[in-house]
Structures are given as C-alpha cells and as structure tokens.
Amino acid sequence: MVFIYGLNISGLSIFEYFKRNNIQTLLWDDNHVVRNNIKKKFKSVIFIHPKKINWNIVKEAYVSPGIDLKHKFLLFKKNKSKLFRDLELYSRLVNNQKIIAVTGTNGKSTTVKMISELIINNKSKCFVGGNIGKSLIDFSLQKEKSTTHVIELSSYQLESAPSFSSDISILLNISNDHIDRHKTMQNYVSLKEKILKKNKLYSIISIDDKFCKKIYKKHKSKNIIPISNSQILSKGLSFIDGKIIDNYFENKIIFIKKIPRSLKGSFNEQNILATYATSKILKMKTNIFYKTVENFRGLPHRFEYIYDNKKFSVINNSKATNIDSALKTIKNLDNIYLIIGGRIKNDNFNSFKKFKNKIKTCFIIGESTNLIYNQLSNFFICKKSYNLERAVKQISLSMKKMNTKINIIFAPACSSFDQFSSFEERGITFKKLVKSKLKKYVS
C-alpha cells in the first residue's frame, strides 16, 4: 500500500502513475477543493487523513514538497513506513537516460532552460521537469523517450530521495532562503549539497558565495568543476569582462559576441558558465553553445523587460522571492523606483541600504509593509503602498515630475503568498497593471 500526501502537480502525477500500474494507493490533500476535483476525475479513490492511517500497512509514503516531512500528521508513522519526495520515485523509474540536475537558491530555472535548449540545438531529445514545468514523473508518459533529462531540484525535493543520482550535477549558489522550513542555514546548505553526492560524470559548482566555496573544498577530490564570475580560476571556468576564461577544458578564452538582454546582469553569468561547462562535458561544438546563448529568451517573471524606452524601463522580477535575488536585480541599474514586499522569509532588509544611491523611491507592498518601511525609510524615500495596484498608481503620479530616465523594478524580496497564489500570478498582475496605468508614458 502506498500513501500520497499532497495532491499538487507532483502528487497527482505520482497517483496517476500508480493507478496506471494497478498499485493501490491512499490519498490525502488538506484542501477540500482539491479532493473534490480529484473525486470528479477519478471514480474510485480512497481518501484518508494521515492521522487516521494504519501505518503498518503503508509500505511507502510520497509527500508533496510543499509539506514538511516533520509535519505533526506524519509523526504517527512507524519505522516500517518511509517518507519520500517525488524525486525518489523518478530516480527508480529512470533507465539509461542521461540526467543533468540543477539546484541553487537563484537562477535554477534559467539555467535549466538554457541547458535544455543547448541539447535541443544539438539535435537531441530532451525532457525538462522537476521544480520547473512538468512533474518529474511525467517523463514516463512520453511516447518517444528523451535521451537526456534536465531537471530542476529544490531543497525540498532533495530532502528524501536516497536513490537519486545524476550524470551532471550543478550547484549555482546558496543564500538565505526557506529558513522558516529548514530552521537553520546549515540544514538548508546540507540539503543543497546532496545534489553532488552521487553524480556519475561531473559536478559543476560556483564558488562565489561562502557556502558553495566550503562545499567545493569538501568535495574537491572528485570530478568537480569550479566556476566563478568574480575571479579568474587557475583550474576552472570564469566569466570576466564579457568573456569566458576556460582554464579547465581547453586553456583558452571564449568571446561571446552577443549576450541578449534576457541574460544581462552579473547573476546570469553563472547560468552561462554552467551551460558552457555542460556543453564541454557532453563534447558539443562551441558553435552550438554560441547559438544557444545568443538566441536565448528568458522565462517570464525573471528579469523580464515589459517596457524600455527613453523615458523609463519596467522590469518584472516577481521570481525574486528572497533578498539576495532582489539585490542582484538592482545591482547594475540606477535611478530606480523599486517595488518590494510580500510575505517575508528574512526579517532583515538592511542590506538594501548599500544601494541607497541607486534607489530613488521604494514602494512597499504586502503584509511586510510596516516592517520593511521601518528598516529602510532612513536610507531613501519609502512609500507604504500595501498592494501592487496602489504602488503602480503612485509610480504613475511620480513619473509626471521626472526629467530623467527611471528604472521601475519589481523585485519583491518576499514570497507571494500573502496576496497571491504564486509568484507567477503576482507577476501577471504586475504586468497587467503596468500596461494599463503606465500606457500613457509609452512613446
């Protein structure tokens, strides 16, 4: 008997896999609307609250990444039962596919997209899934099997998947995130480190933050490729002054003639380096790498330009759900109208003060409005907007007095769950508001 707790995209795909293979399952989701929808779709399903389960008959339990494995309802489990994430089932089902796994606090999705396009440009079939797009288990539905999988993994997915291993493991960066769930930074770092422990070919790791640097030193004896966009590495890959310095594979300099706007910003240099390293491991021609980078179009809600003219630019980075990601968004721009706020993950916003000469006005939204205002109003002008619509209206009024070009940046540095169901919904709302409220300034 298998128990599935949490019927989001990953939980539902696990259930459908077991149903196709005639394996009996027990189900539960705390949301009654979700349960009702599943009842309508499937005739015979058995819902049972985890508190009421006889754990002696449960061989395995698959728990949604959104649910803490230490949830009080799961403390009733017996030793015979094992709690897993969808990554564990995926790892058991994969057979002969080359797996490229990507994790990190920021930049995972962009790197996954770029590497998947690299593989497609090399005339190979590619499955993309995990914490981006499709559920991991969806690969089993493909009629034509992909030879390569590029998967994005969160710290939650890496939590409990003992069978997982990859051919290429990529760790981009680690900064403060999800501490409300993991309790300590060390717990979070340890989970991210798991991606490196069973790789078959190479690991790729940026050493530009202190946490990744420490992990690199710990695993240095293995086939691990260090990358950096802050220093030239004598045995690694670097991105300095618009060029890749390859001191790992070929000892030469790679000039990238055209970097698209969607890859501007130093934070994207890690993504480009990871893609380059992957192309070399897979023995691809350099022109395939060039083509991939030069034609790359970014994902929605990640440093996404909505407008850019002589008067103003608008950048939607709703995906900036932590402070580090928000700071990287504003690092290379000036004369900024910044919108931040939401449900806080970290209650210390003082790091924004180092950009006080860049930020002209800060518009604060969400349930964290007062907390952020109290911390930042001494460094630059702050307005309590409380919600996105009001923030955009306030910006529209302020723009009437502007004589120089401004950069309007939506980089919340918080999760969306106080006022929105996801960062995607938050980003879509922002784009609609901008197009309706700032249309008169578009030339």
Side-chain angles (χ1 to χ4, degrees), residues 138-157:
D138 282 356
F139 90 91
S140 63
L141 297 173
Q142 287 184 320
K143 291 181 180 178
E144 291 187 63
K145 299 297 182 185
S146 299
T147 55
T148 306
H149 291 188
V150 187
I151 61 174
E152 177 184 324
L153 300 179
S154 68
S155 55
Y156 303 146
Q157 287 171 299

Side-chain angles (χ1 to χ4, degrees), residues 126-388:
C126 180
F127 169 77
V128 179
N131 202 44
I132 178 176
K134 295 180 180 178
S135 160
L136 287 171
I137 311 304
D138 282 356
F139 90 91
S140 63
L141 297 173
Q142 287 184 320
K143 291 181 180 178
E144 291 187 63
K145 299 297 182 185
S146 299
T147 55
T148 306
H149 291 188
V150 187
I151 61 174
E152 177 184 324
L153 300 179
S154 68
S155 55
Y156 303 146
Q157 287 171 299
L158 288 162
E159 231 171 352
S160 186
S163 301
F164 169 71
S165 68
S166 57
D167 295 275
I168 301 173
S169 301
I170 300 172
L171 175 54
L172 294 169
N173 49 65
I174 299 176
S175 59
N176 198 315
D177 201 12
H178 301 306
I179 305 306
D180 54 333
R181 175 85 158 262
H182 298 308
K183 307 306 179 187
T184 69
M185 192 65 193
Q186 186 52 52
N187 288 342
Y188 179 55
V189 171
S190 296
L191 289 172
K192 290 294 189 186
E193 185 181 358
K194 281 188 172 186
I195 200 169
L196 305 176
K197 291 187 175 178
K198 285 187 181 179
N199 74 301
K200 299 169 187 173
L201 293 177
Y202 285 91
S203 295
I204 301 164
I205 181 170
S206 170
I207 59 170
D208 287 333
D209 66 73
K210 62 182 181 180
F211 303 110
C212 286
K213 191 171 185 178
K214 189 175 180 181
I215 292 171
Y216 167 68
K217 288 179 178 178
K218 182 177 173 182
H219 295 271
K220 200 172 179 179
S221 59
K222 299 179 181 179
N223 286 341
I224 185 164
I225 305 169
I227 62 175
S228 173
N229 63 332
S230 66
Q231 59 183 304
I232 297 176
L233 303 177
S234 59
K235 184 62 176 174
L237 305 173
S238 309
F239 198 116
I240 306 292
D241 297 329
K243 57 185 179 291
I244 294 173
I245 302 168
D246 181 350
N247 287 330
Y248 191 92
F249 295 100
E250 296 191 32
N251 293 319
K252 72 176 188 179
I253 296 175
I254 310 296
F255 293 93
I256 303 175
K257 295 178 182 178
K258 176 189 170 187
I259 296 179
R261 188 167 63 179
S262 57
L263 289 176
K264 295 290 185 184
S266 58
F267 53 90
N268 275 313
E269 292 167 0
Q270 285 184 347
N271 308 329
I272 294 171
L273 280 172
T275 304
Y276 174 78
T278 302
S279 75
K280 300 306 290 183
I281 293 167
L282 299 179
K283 302 187 185 307
M284 293 182 184
K285 292 180 180 179
T286 306
N287 68 311
I288 300 294
F289 167 72
Y290 284 143
K291 177 183 177 181
T292 302
V293 172
E294 292 173 1
N295 295 323
F296 185 77
R297 296 294 175 266
L299 290 158
H301 319 302
R302 297 159 174 88
F303 207 78
E304 178 186 16
Y305 274 87
I306 301 171
Y307 289 127
D308 188 17
N309 55 38
K310 293 179 180 179
K311 297 176 184 177
F312 70 105
S313 67
V314 183
I315 297 169
N316 166 32
N317 198 9
S318 180
K319 184 63 172 70
T321 59
N322 57 67
I323 289 173
D324 184 64
S325 182
L327 292 174
K328 287 176 178 175
T329 310
I330 65 180
K331 183 178 179 181
N332 298 313
L333 295 167
D334 295 296
N335 210 27
I336 294 169
Y337 278 7
L338 176 65
I339 305 175
I340 63 172
R343 177 162 293 170
I344 60 169
K345 294 180 175 181
N346 184 323
D347 62 3
N348 186 352
F349 285 75
N350 286 323
S351 50
F352 281 88
K353 69 183 180 183
K354 65 184 176 183
F355 294 123
K356 61 184 179 181
N357 294 326
K358 291 176 172 287
I359 299 172
K360 191 169 187 65
T361 308
C362 184
F363 302 83
I364 309 170
I365 65 170
E367 66 183 29
S368 59
T369 296
N370 291 329
L371 182 148
I372 298 174
Y373 181 89
N374 292 337
Q375 291 187 31
L376 298 183
S377 56
N378 290 329
F379 305 113
F380 35 75
I381 298 170
C382 290
K383 295 184 181 293
K384 294 182 179 181
S385 303
Y386 295 105
N387 61 63
L388 259 181

Side-chain angles (χ1 to χ4, degrees), residues 49-72:
H49 194 286
K51 197 173 181 179
K52 297 179 179 178
I53 283 181
N54 176 3
W55 286 96
N56 290 318
I57 66 168
V58 175
K59 182 182 177 183
E60 295 178 339
Y62 290 90
V63 183
S64 164
I67 299 170
D68 193 337
L69 293 178
K70 296 184 177 64
H71 192 292
K72 62 182 180 180

